[in-house]
Amino acid sequence: MLPYCSINRKEKKSIGEMEQEFLQAMQAFYYEGKAIMSNEEFDNLKEELMWEGSSVVMLSPDEQKLLEAAMAYVSGNPIMTDDEFDQLKLRLKKEGSDIVQEGPRCSLRSRKVYSDLTVDYLKMLLLNVPAAVVALALFFFLDDFTGFEITYLLELPEPFSFIFTWFAALPLIFWVAQAITNVIVKDFLILKGPCPNCGNENLSFFGTILSVPSGGSKNSVKCASCGTELEYDSSTRLITLPEPAEAK
């Protein structure tokens, strides 16, 4: 019996481990033209992930197109140009697709080591928390200033209370919070990725803070673990490790 089919909880693999195995098998087959597990093992793994409700096994049309192009290239019959493939891959990266996320790797052509960047949605959400607190404070101040008229509206009989809360109060708070955030930071993006040298995850902020830009689409980040200078590129969603001659 395969590990992920075992009823023994100590042997059963987590969904994350199974998803990682699935993606590794897909990438090895389509990008490198080799199988790291049998067809039966792959089908069982896919069925188990579908049973667990994993979204990794459900590929979008663009993801299917990318894998077909990769397989065609490996077989010597490319169905799209290198530029078209790179553009499709970059678009999937920006959409957060898992099948294009690869670990540290080297390019023989450029002689550089790369690693992929992903959006840190949690950090981006937390960036809005201070503005949300201010918006709530303003909301309560307005309620107090109007003699608790807003509280009266919130306590109306249903469905009027529900309508006012979800279609007036909360949208207003959200809009105020977004407006405050946009005044302080604009066009912001927080990307994270593993250091190609040691594997430690590092973050980088892209955007404008109080009209002061962070430096464009490229940032220089020093790894918190090994101290290596890394180049974060938000346009290509790549971390580049400098060549030994360039490294500080």
Side-chain angles (χ1 to χ4, degrees), residues 203-217:
L203 299 172
S204 184
F205 173 87
F206 296 86
T208 302
I209 302 177
L210 295 176
S211 301
V212 179
S214 64
S217 62

Side-chain angles (χ1 to χ4, degrees), residues 52-183:
E52 294 286 351
S54 172
S55 60
V56 169
V57 295
M58 307 303 292
L59 300 180
S60 69
D62 279 345
E63 289 174 329
Q64 293 177 359
K65 184 179 180 180
L66 181 79
L67 294 179
E68 289 172 1
M71 190 61 185
Y73 180 82
V74 171
S75 64
N77 300 301
I79 59 176
M80 63 174 64
T81 65
D82 290 345
D83 287 341
E84 290 174 336
F85 184 85
D86 291 339
Q87 290 174 7
L88 176 59
K89 188 174 182 179
L90 179 59
R91 184 164 72 247
L92 288 172
K93 276 186 180 182
K94 292 183 177 181
E95 292 174 357
S97 173
D98 291 315
I99 68 167
V100 293
Q101 301 301 327
E102 304 175 66
R105 58 201 181 278
C106 63
S107 171
L108 296 177
R109 182 173 57 184
S110 64
R111 298 172 57 194
K112 289 186 177 182
V113 181
Y114 299 96
S115 188
D116 288 318
L117 286 168
T118 57
V119 179
D120 193 328
Y121 291 104
L122 178 59
K123 294 292 191 304
M124 292 186 66
L125 178 64
L126 293 176
L127 200 60
N128 288 282
V129 170
V133 173
V134 173
L136 280 173
L138 291 173
F139 183 80
F140 291 131
F141 173 79
L142 182 62
D143 184 33
D144 182 65
F145 182 77
T146 58
F148 301 102
E149 288 293 331
I150 298 178
T151 301
Y152 170 75
L153 293 173
L154 291 173
E155 294 175 349
L156 287 173
E158 298 295 349
F160 303 106
S161 176
F162 176 84
I163 294 174
F164 177 77
T165 300
W166 290 96
F167 295 97
L170 290 180
L172 177 62
I173 294 173
F174 176 79
W175 180 83
V176 172
Q178 284 290 100
I180 295 173
T181 300
N182 290 334
V183 168

Side-chain angles (χ1 to χ4, degrees), residues 9-26:
R9 287 292 177 183
K10 294 183 178 180
E11 297 180 4
K12 182 177 175 65
K13 294 186 177 181
S14 67
I15 295 179
E17 290 174 328
M18 291 190 290
E19 288 178 337
Q20 185 176 13
E21 283 191 4
F22 179 81
L23 293 173
Q24 287 175 343
M26 292 276 286

Side-chain angles (χ1 to χ4, degrees), residues 223-238:
C223 178
S225 177
C226 65
T228 303
E229 290 288 344
L230 307 172
E231 183 181 271
Y232 277 49
D233 193 327
S234 63
S235 59
T236 60
R237 299 294 171 91
L238 287 174

